[in-house]
Amino acid sequence: MRNYPYQDAARCYVYLSDVSANGSVGDDRFAWRWKTAFRKSKWFTRGWTLQELIAPVIVEFFSVEGERLGDKKSLEQTLHEITGIATQAFRGCPLSYFSMDKRMSWAAKRRTRREEDAAYSLLGIFNVYILLIYGEGGQNAMSRLLKEVRDNNSINLPIAEGASFDSHAEEHNARCLRNTRVELLGQIMEWAKDRNDKPIFWLNGMAGTGKSTIACSVAQSFADQHQLAASFFFKKGEGERGNATRFFTTISRDLMGRIWEMKPRIRRAIDTDPAISKKALRDQFEKLIFQPLSEVTLQRALKLVLVIDALDECERDQDIQAILRLLSRTKDLMSVSLKVFITSRPELPIRLGFKKMSDGTYQDLILHEVPRPTIEHDIILFLEHQLGEIREQRLLSMDWPGRDRIQALANMAIPLFIFAATVCRYVGTKGGDPEEYLNNVLEYRKSTFSQLDQTYLPVLNQLLTEQEKEDREMWLHRFRELVGVIAVLESPLSITSLGNLLQIPQQQIRYRLDSLHSVLNIPNNEHVPIRLLHLSFREFLLDPKKQEKSLFWVDEREMHEKLVSQCLKLMSSPEGLQQDMCKLLNPGTLRSKVHHLEQSGHHIHGGDPTHLFLQKHLLHWLEAMSLVGETYKFIHMVKRLQVLTESNISTVSSFLYDAERFTLWFRSILEDAPLQVYSSALIFAPETSIIRKTFVDHIPRWVGMISKVEKDWDACRSTLEGHSGNVNAVAFSPDGQLIASVSNDETVRLWETATGSCRSTLEGHSGNVRAVAFSPDGQLIASTSWDGTVRLWETATGPCRSTLEGHSGCVHAVAFSPDGQLIASASDDETVWLWKTATGSCRSTLEGNSGSVSVVAFSPDGQLIASASGDKTVRLWETATGSCRSTLEGHSWNVHAVAFSPDGQLIASASDYRTVGLWETATGSYCNTLEGHSGNVNAVAFSPDGQLIASASGDKTVRLWETATGSCRSTLEGHSGRVRAVAFSLDGQLIVSASDYRTVRLWETATGSCRSTLEGHFGDVLAVAFSPDGQLIASASDDWTVRLWETATGSCCSTLEGHPGGVSAVAFSPDGQHLQTDQGQISLSLPPSRIPSFQDKELPALFIKDQWVVLGKQLLLWLPPEYRPTCTAVYRDVICLGSSSGHVTVLKAYSKNISL
């Protein structure tokens, strides 16, 4: 927070000339005298008083005689009553937590000597800065201030509500009692003070050892000292608090409240990428935290601490490890010392995350290994305090409960603070007898009871015995019915939501929960979620070992089955899912359904409730998930459902497979315009798509496809869009989960194979990026560029680890050795360089080529390196010595690509001469030529089993060849430009290719099916036109032909050939009897044109803008990549699209069904 001009003040002394104590301080009989004067002091009416009160940690007040009246802490309530300032603000709570109106109310009726100071004195209150212009007048100054505040608050970052330690949801959480955890808290404070100490402190311990209480205390302590950077308390099943989606945005928001200089930099990051909050964790951390902190310039270095509690409750293991890797980079910050305090259980993903950190990055402390005497001392103090409060409230004898019983309870509790806390809540239950309840607990001292039994059985057995014998079975049933559901829910629900889900009256739910406050957090507000007070209660209820032993055991599988059934009923009801929902059901309910279905062990089969639900509501579900920005999660859930089907050939399995293809294909538009699921997605889905057939009635009546769509899904699985320049190369990660692509836009992008979503963008090159490769372990990515460098990036977090400089020209290719210890790079400077991966130093330079070296590859055993050059040769080099072993000659044009077969016995090379050559590695002899492409072959790759070769060409296709015979097995068509790169996934089931038109495509190796819809042209369609009556379409192409198509059916009725070159313009004569082209006039034998007779209302302009069909100003229909036109023509309400793939698409808008 910038409290101009008191930003750096630590202590403030206030001399009150109008307050006389006259010796009455400390004398309660006369204190009213100075306190009355204190309340009326003119000092509290000054404008600058606000900052003088709030900014310093310590504010001391003195009377006119110089007597100390008290300080901000001791007079907190009085100061609040005088000024109206919230007590939390006095305690250091970031002012950004208070609304603009609330902060303005603090300034009401204050006076300043200069009228402009009425505005200037509020700069620190709103964490903004404006130029001080005395003489501008108070009104102008206030207008400028309010404008700056509005602009400053326009930073819109989504946050995880309730995640901060001082949020309303966390305000009642326990803190460490005085004189407890003294040594531990001291150790943490010492760590925070020492700038040279390790940047991360990991406090780990088993469940119930008090980690969250310590985290709350630590956060409060740092907040009191103005050292708290931010806090995030994870909580499993609490929406955004249970995952990492809003982790870094929440931290960034808190940091802005602490360091105002970050705000313009964060605003710039959001303006540059408005969707940054939905990007990969690495991008969020980099753009919203690390870069803004790196760029701020402060008068003095800040020492701040970030507090993170319960990291183990973050739902994705990969996210946990990514968070740890990214936070370890805070040690590199210069102007701000940002340390990180983390608590968690010692779960495997977290242990692995810390293990991967470099030495000196973190220190840890294992809470349950703290010496027993220390834990015993703290638990006894806690029990004495809590039971002492019960003694006072219930008017028990002064010696209750006695030291012996407190010691017995402490012995039972060690090392679990949750035991002590639960016992105290139970003993203090309203309406109960504390003495009786305490004795009940002590009866469980036998060693035969586990600590969880000792914690929870006294509470539950007491409730059971209070029931009449004949009612106990019913009570247990209702207990399991309600508390069992609360325990297994993926996300907690309120009383209102539980009533709707379980079809139980809300009042009855409240009655059942009234006696369970010892183990559940039950808010008074019926719309606030009910939570377990501790996860150990869930473990106690669901432990399979207790099935025959505990009356309170809950059958987890049975509960999940019940929830599946109830979720289906709720979502299928009239108030459930529906098209174009505005007040939609929380789509988390849908996520929960999949989770509960998995946990129930139930399999989906044709005609069962789950299948029927999907057939009716799949698109509604997809719409809901897309509306909240979680389309990628929908894809994951569909995959999880596929696993639960009875067989791979069942009706349900086919339905889900088609749903996956459907979502992958249209994912990019659904994330931006969810309602296109009912228009563009259904209209352009293939004829045989099960989803299209199932939901055909949902296609809007205002548009129709006159031409035919594709027959079936082609081999392309999804199109990855995002680069702003040509894509030059692609590569799969070794585990197949990621794809890296590089582009002329100077970036490297990482994509998730499963969902097609962009995970991160790696920026740093200053020229077109030409090549990319993963290290064998997948932890590093190497990229090359026109800037003459090779860059190494960390896959998980994205920072550039090192830049390899030395080449004197563009670097075209890069490869890792099989053991990952070496990197080979090939360049325009006619050399291949070998680099050591660990150090980035050059080991050797391979010279001998007489042309630009465009490609390089290691043999599978790493002993050979193959390079291809503009001198029409392939050279084999010995890795160990750097000497040239052989030169493969035979190509008559430049060689663009080279690859070793998996067994290293063959080499494939591709050239400008439209062929692929096969060579024997051992002898260097030429053994086969693969012919068929009609353009230059730019890339070549072997399948992992060596049985197939994929080649990418300037003819816009990828071809698959059988290695043994050299025959072409299939041609993959669909790219709109020359294909520059191709690669197989590790299992050989997928192929990835990249083309000039900024796209990356995924193909399924097994099917390799070709397109057939409205194909006819063999080149780019350069122009289209309608006949005057709208019944014909003429299309002109660079294949030297003009084609005529019937508007009504989309079929080609004639091909007009004989042109001396490509045709780039076409138009009908007014009577429709001639076609005028840039190659001359063509006479047509057609009936005379007639005046259209239909009387539809006149439509606004129908045209194409970017990727959309636009009607007036309304975005009507999104066009998938393969339907995007190079030219268009419109006749009334019919629009014709000609694309570079040779397709012609005809759409009709039905005006009477369009509401504008």
Side-chain angles (χ1 to χ4, degrees):
M1 181 178 82
R2 180 174 185 176
N3 287 293
Y4 179 91
Y6 306 99
Q7 168 183 2
D8 299 324
R11 186 183 294 264
C12 176
Y13 301 98
V14 181
Y15 170 73
L16 300 175
S17 60
D18 55 355
V19 177
S20 174
N22 199 22
S24 61
V25 176
D27 189 339
D28 293 340
R29 294 175 300 169
F30 303 104
W32 61 271
R33 296 177 180 173
W34 71 261
K35 286 185 178 180
T36 301
F38 184 80
R39 288 176 178 273
K40 294 179 179 179
S41 175
K42 292 181 180 179
W43 185 80
F44 291 111
T45 66
R46 296 168 58 250
W48 291 102
T49 292
L50 282 177
Q51 297 197 67
E52 294 164 354
L53 258 178
I54 295 173
V57 177
I58 299 172
V59 180
E60 294 184 274
F61 297 91
F62 295 86
S63 69
V64 66
E65 296 88 3
E67 290 187 69
R68 187 179 183 277
L69 303 174
D71 57 26
K72 182 164 67 172
K73 187 174 182 180
S74 65
L75 296 170
E76 181 181 86
Q77 186 59 33
T78 302
L79 293 172
H80 164 66
E81 292 169 2
I82 296 171
T83 64
I85 299 173
T87 55
Q88 294 95 325
F90 292 141
R91 299 171 188 172
C93 179
L95 295 185
S96 57
Y97 284 90
F98 304 99
S99 69
M100 179 177 171
D101 290 342
K102 172 63 72 175
R103 282 178 275 176
M104 286 298 292
S105 72
W106 299 343
K109 300 180 181 179
R110 295 187 178 278
R111 297 190 297 271
T112 56
R113 291 183 180 178
R114 296 180 177 180
E115 59 179 314
E116 295 88 355
D117 279 342
Y120 301 160
S121 63
L122 300 178
L123 293 178
I125 301 302
F126 290 106
N127 290 335
V128 296
Y129 178 77
I130 60 174
L131 189 64
L132 307 187
I133 309 174
Y134 286 105
E136 67 172 320
Q139 188 172 354
N140 287 339
M142 187 61 71
S143 296
R144 287 199 301 123
L145 169 71
L146 295 177
K147 181 181 183 301
E148 185 65 22
V149 170
R150 283 193 296 269
D151 291 346
N152 201 52
N153 289 336
S154 66
I155 298 177
N156 186 20
L157 280 177
I159 64 167
E161 296 291 344
S164 299
F165 92 97
D166 52 358
S167 67
H168 176 67
E170 295 295 313
E171 68 176 329
H172 300 301
N173 284 356
R175 270 52 166 184
C176 295
L177 289 176
R178 189 174 181 179
N179 296 325
T180 63
R181 305 290 196 184
V182 175
E183 185 178 343
L184 172 59
L185 294 174
Q187 187 176 343
I188 295 168
M189 295 303 151
E190 285 301 315
W191 159 80
K193 288 178 184 176
D194 188 349
R195 188 182 178 96
N196 297 318
D197 211 338
K198 298 171 182 177
I200 297 178
F201 191 112
W202 178 31
L203 180 69
N204 73 84
M206 60 193 225
T209 49
K211 300 182 294 296
S212 293
T213 300
I214 294 170
C216 281
S217 301
V218 167
Q220 184 66 65
S221 180
F222 287 131
D224 291 343
Q225 300 171 40
H226 289 205
Q227 279 189 275
L228 183 66
S231 60
F232 196 103
F233 280 50
F234 281 100
K235 189 160 282 190
K236 187 176 181 179
E238 294 274 328
E240 290 87 1
R241 291 184 63 187
N243 57 57
T245 52
R246 294 187 177 178
F247 174 73
F248 284 123
T249 55
T250 304
I251 299 300
S252 179
R253 194 282 307 267
D254 284 358
L255 279 169
M256 280 191 289
R258 186 69 183 85
I259 307 172
W260 73 271
E261 290 91 344
M262 289 179 65
K263 289 184 178 179
R265 293 163 174 85
I266 291 174
R267 185 186 292 117
R268 184 173 66 237
I270 296 172
D271 291 343
T272 302
D273 185 359
I276 184 64
S277 62
K278 297 179 182 179
K279 293 296 177 66
L281 294 179
R282 188 203 71 85
D283 288 340
Q284 292 184 39
F285 175 78
E286 190 74 29
K287 303 292 177 56
L288 300 177
I289 295 176
F290 192 80
Q291 285 183 10
L293 283 175
S294 300
E295 294 171 5
V296 297
T297 302
L298 303 173
Q299 293 180 351
R300 62 174 185 174
L302 276 177
K303 292 182 179 181
L304 300 176
V305 180
L306 169 61
V307 176
I308 302 168
D309 181 53
L311 181 58
D312 55 288
E313 295 189 35
C314 181
E315 68 183 23
R316 293 180 63 188
D317 292 350
Q318 302 95 319
D319 286 348
I320 290 174
Q321 296 192 25
I323 286 171
L324 290 174
R325 280 191 294 266
L326 292 166
L327 291 177
S328 68
R329 295 181 56 200
T330 57
K331 65 180 182 297
D332 300 324
L333 293 168
M334 301 302 293
S335 60
V336 176
S337 170
L338 182 60
K339 293 193 169 187
V340 185
F341 177 79
I342 299 172
T343 74
S344 77
R345 295 187 188 188
E347 306 292 3
L348 181 61
I350 298 179
R351 297 202 311 271
L352 291 175
F354 279 108
K355 188 175 181 180
K356 291 177 182 177
M357 290 184 185
S358 58
D359 291 340
T361 302
Y362 77 97
Q363 71 180 72
D364 64 346
L365 191 150
I366 302 172
L367 200 52
H368 51 269
E369 293 183 2
V370 170
R372 181 183 174 93
T374 301
I375 298 175
E376 182 179 11
H377 169 268
D378 292 346
I379 289 179
I380 287 175
L381 283 181
F382 175 83
L383 289 168
E384 286 177 344
H385 178 271
Q386 296 297 110
L387 295 176
E389 288 192 344
I390 294 171
R391 180 178 62 242
E392 292 179 9
Q393 293 167 3
R394 308 298 284 275
L395 303 178
L396 299 172
S397 64
M398 291 300 296
D399 60 349
W400 187 89
R403 291 201 59 81
D404 290 344
R405 290 201 288 183
I406 287 178
Q407 183 64 55
L409 290 174
N411 292 339
M412 293 172 70
I414 296 171
L416 303 182
F417 270 80
I418 187 60
F419 172 90
T422 303
V423 164
C424 291
R425 279 194 297 270
Y426 166 59
V427 171
T429 300
K430 291 181 180 179
D433 181 350
E435 179 68 15
E436 178 187 348
Y437 285 9
L438 181 57
N439 289 330
N440 287 345
V441 173
L442 292 172
E443 287 178 6
Y444 289 85
R445 279 182 283 184
K446 300 174 185 176
S447 59
T448 53
F449 292 104
S450 69
Q451 279 196 300
L452 285 184
D453 287 344
Q454 292 175 342
T455 303
Y456 296 113
L457 280 180
V459 179
L460 300 181
N461 278 333
Q462 177 69 37
L463 295 175
L464 183 62
T465 56
E466 289 175 356
Q467 312 303 315
E468 298 292 338
K469 285 187 178 181
E470 60 271 19
D471 296 334
R472 289 177 185 175
E473 195 59 42
M474 178 58 71
W475 186 90
L476 284 169
H477 169 76
R478 289 177 174 174
F479 171 85
R480 289 190 287 263
E481 178 185 45
L482 180 57
V483 179
V485 164
I486 293 172
V488 303
L489 277 170
E490 190 182 24
S491 297
L493 296 177
S494 65
I495 287 179
T496 302
S497 298
L498 280 170
N500 292 335
L501 179 64
L502 301 178
Q503 297 297 293
I504 299 174
Q506 295 176 27
Q507 194 62 38
Q508 194 177 129
I509 290 180
R510 180 163 289 286
Y511 290 154
R512 294 191 198 178
L513 296 176
D514 271 346
S515 56
L516 291 169
H517 285 264
S518 299
V519 291
L520 298 176
N521 182 3
I522 306 166
N524 291 326
N525 189 330
E526 296 194 345
H527 300 288
V528 176
I530 297 166
R531 300 175 175 89
L532 303 178
L533 281 170
H534 200 270
L535 282 177
S536 59
F537 185 49
R538 182 182 191 275
E539 294 163 5
F540 166 81
L541 293 174
L542 304 181
D543 186 355
K545 297 176 182 176
K546 297 184 184 297
Q547 182 172 359
E548 302 295 333
K549 302 176 182 177
S550 173
L551 293 172
F552 308 100
W553 178 74
V554 172
D555 187 333
E556 184 175 6
R557 180 171 174 173
E558 180 183 310
M559 282 298 109
H560 285 297
E561 287 180 350
K562 178 182 179 67
L563 283 169
V564 169
S565 175
Q566 293 300 119
C567 283
L568 288 174
K569 287 180 183 177
L570 182 61
M571 292 185 293
S572 301
S573 68
E575 295 78 26
L577 292 174
Q578 54 190 287
Q579 183 173 338
D580 194 11
M581 62 191 76
C582 295
K583 297 179 181 178
L584 69 160
L585 275 173
N586 185 343
T589 305
L590 296 151
R591 285 202 302 275
S592 297
K593 176 200 156 21
V594 177
H595 168 74
H596 297 309
L597 194 61
E598 286 178 317
Q599 298 301 315
S600 71
H602 176 78
H603 282 78
I604 309 170
H605 55 81
D608 77 356
T610 301
H611 183 212
L612 295 176
F613 169 81
L614 291 170
Q615 287 181 313
K616 184 176 181 180
H617 293 294
L618 181 91
L619 294 191
H620 303 151
W621 180 13
L622 178 53
E623 177 199 341
M625 295 296 288
S626 301
L627 279 166
V628 294
E630 295 187 346
T631 313
Y632 71 97
K633 286 189 177 181
F634 178 86
I635 297 170
H636 284 303
M637 284 187 281
V638 169
K639 286 178 172 291
R640 288 159 62 185
L641 288 175
Q642 288 181 56
V643 176
L644 300 177
T645 57
E646 287 188 318
S647 73
N648 293 331
I649 58 173
S650 68
T651 304
V652 185
S653 179
S654 300
F655 181 93
L656 290 169
Y657 174 76
D658 196 75
E660 180 190 354
R661 292 299 305 268
F662 181 88
T663 312
L664 281 169
W665 192 250
F666 296 104
R667 174 192 55 81
S668 61
I669 186 57
L670 296 182
E671 290 174 346
D672 294 328
L675 292 182
Q676 287 291 311
V677 71
Y678 305 108
S679 49
S680 178
L682 286 177
I683 288 168
F684 291 112
E687 281 184 24
T688 58
S689 164
I690 298 172
I691 301 304
R692 190 180 200 271
K693 289 179 177 179
T694 303
F695 297 98
V696 68
D697 292 341
H698 288 68
I699 296 177
R701 292 183 297 168
W702 47 257
V703 66
M705 174 80 85
I706 295 176
S707 54
K708 292 183 178 180
V709 294
E710 299 295 328
K711 184 73 175 174
D712 199 355
W713 297 110
D714 61 17
C716 182
R717 174 171 161 169
S718 58
T719 302
L720 315 181
E721 296 184 285
H723 283 295
S724 58
N726 290 345
V727 182
N728 297 317
V730 288
F732 275 102
S733 62
D735 61 7
Q737 294 185 19
L738 294 176
I739 297 168
S741 60
V742 297
S743 167
N744 285 351
D745 63 9
E746 303 182 358
T747 69
V748 179
R749 282 183 177 250
L750 287 181
W751 312 81
E752 291 186 358
T753 307
T755 65
S757 58
C758 182
R759 176 167 155 178
S760 59
T761 303
L762 314 181
E763 298 174 298
H765 282 294
S766 57
N768 298 350
V769 190
R770 304 294 301 168
V772 66
F774 281 92
S775 62
D777 61 7
Q779 294 187 19
L780 293 177
I781 299 167
S783 60
T784 72
S785 169
W786 277 98
D787 63 15
T789 68
V790 178
R791 283 182 174 252
L792 288 183
W793 314 82
E794 294 182 3
T795 307
T797 59
C800 180
R801 174 167 152 178
S802 56
T803 303
L804 314 183
E805 298 177 291
H807 283 293
S808 57
C810 168
V811 187
H812 289 291
V814 66
F816 281 92
S817 62
D819 61 6
Q821 296 184 18
L822 294 177
I823 298 168
S825 58
S827 169
D828 266 349
D829 62 12
E830 303 181 358
T831 67
V832 175
W833 286 50
L834 284 182
W835 313 81
K836 293 181 180 179
T837 306
T839 63
S841 60
C842 179
R843 183 177 120 171
S844 57
T845 304
L846 314 182
E847 299 176 295
N849 291 105
S850 56
S852 171
V853 187
S854 57
V855 69
V856 65
F858 280 92
S859 63
D861 61 7
Q863 296 185 19
L864 295 176
I865 298 168
S867 64
S869 168
D871 62 9
K872 308 172 188 177
T873 68
V874 176
R875 288 177 180 258
L876 291 181
W877 312 81
E878 292 185 356
T879 307
T881 63
S883 59
C884 183
R885 174 168 156 178
S886 58
T887 303
L888 313 182
E889 298 178 294
H891 283 293
S892 52
W893 295 87
N894 294 346
V895 184
H896 286 299
V898 66
F900 282 94
S901 63
D903 60 8
Q905 296 184 21
L906 293 177
I907 297 171
S909 57
S911 80
D912 276 348
Y913 198 59
R914 306 177 181 177
T915 61
V916 177
L918 287 182
W919 315 76
E920 289 185 358
T921 307
T923 63
S925 59
Y926 198 73
C927 52
N928 207 347
T929 301
L930 312 182
E931 297 179 289
H933 281 295
S934 57
N936 298 342
V937 183
N938 300 317
V940 65
F942 279 92
S943 62
D945 61 6
Q947 295 184 21
L948 294 176
I949 299 169
S951 57
S953 170
D955 64 9
K956 308 175 187 175
T957 70
V958 175
R959 285 184 176 247
L960 291 183
W961 313 82
E962 294 184 357
T963 307
T965 64
S967 60
C968 181
R969 174 168 152 177
S970 58
T971 303
L972 311 182
E973 296 177 294
H975 278 293
S976 303
R978 58 179 170 172
V979 190
R980 292 177 173 269
V982 68
F984 282 91
S985 64
L986 195 63
D987 59 6
Q989 294 184 20
L990 295 176
I991 298 167
V992 63
S993 58
S995 84
D996 271 354
Y997 281 84
R998 305 177 185 177
T999 62
V1000 178
R1001 288 185 177 244
L1002 279 178
W1003 314 81
E1004 294 184 356
T1005 308
T1007 58
S1009 57
C1010 303
R1011 296 179 176 275
S1012 59
T1013 304
L1014 276 181
E1015 287 184 307
H1017 285 296
F1018 296 101
D1020 289 357
V1021 181
L1022 304 176
V1024 290
F1026 277 97
S1027 63
D1029 64 0
Q1031 295 187 15
L1032 291 177
I1033 298 165
S1035 59
S1037 170
D1038 63 4
D1039 64 3
W1040 298 20
T1041 71
V1042 173
R1043 287 181 175 256
L1044 291 180
W1045 312 80
E1046 291 183 357
T1047 306
T1049 65
S1051 60
C1052 179
C1053 54
S1054 62
T1055 303
L1056 310 176
E1057 301 175 306
H1059 300 285
V1063 187
S1064 59
V1066 66
F1068 281 90
S1069 62
D1071 62 3
Q1073 298 298 307
H1074 299 88
L1075 278 177
Q1076 184 66 46
T1077 75
D1078 60 331
Q1079 298 290 348
Q1081 191 179 81
I1082 305 170
S1083 295
L1084 303 175
S1085 298
L1086 297 171
S1089 196
R1090 67 181 187 278
I1091 298 174
S1093 59
F1094 53 84
Q1095 299 297 319
D1096 280 349
K1097 70 177 181 182
E1098 198 67 33
L1099 281 171
L1102 191 67
F1103 60 97
I1104 302 296
K1105 182 179 180 182
D1106 299 325
Q1107 306 164 10
W1108 289 88
V1109 176
V1110 180
L1111 187 64
K1113 295 182 179 180
Q1114 180 179 351
L1115 298 178
L1116 201 64
L1117 189 71
W1118 177 79
L1119 298 172
E1122 67 275 20
Y1123 288 94
R1124 291 172 196 167
T1126 54
C1127 56
T1128 63
V1130 177
Y1131 181 81
R1132 286 185 172 265
D1133 52 7
V1134 179
I1135 187 165
C1136 180
L1137 316 172
S1139 72
S1140 60
S1141 65
H1143 292 191
V1144 177
T1145 303
V1146 185
L1147 297 165
K1148 180 177 175 63
Y1150 296 96
S1151 57
K1152 62 183 180 181
N1153 296 325
I1154 299 176
S1155 58
L1156 295 172

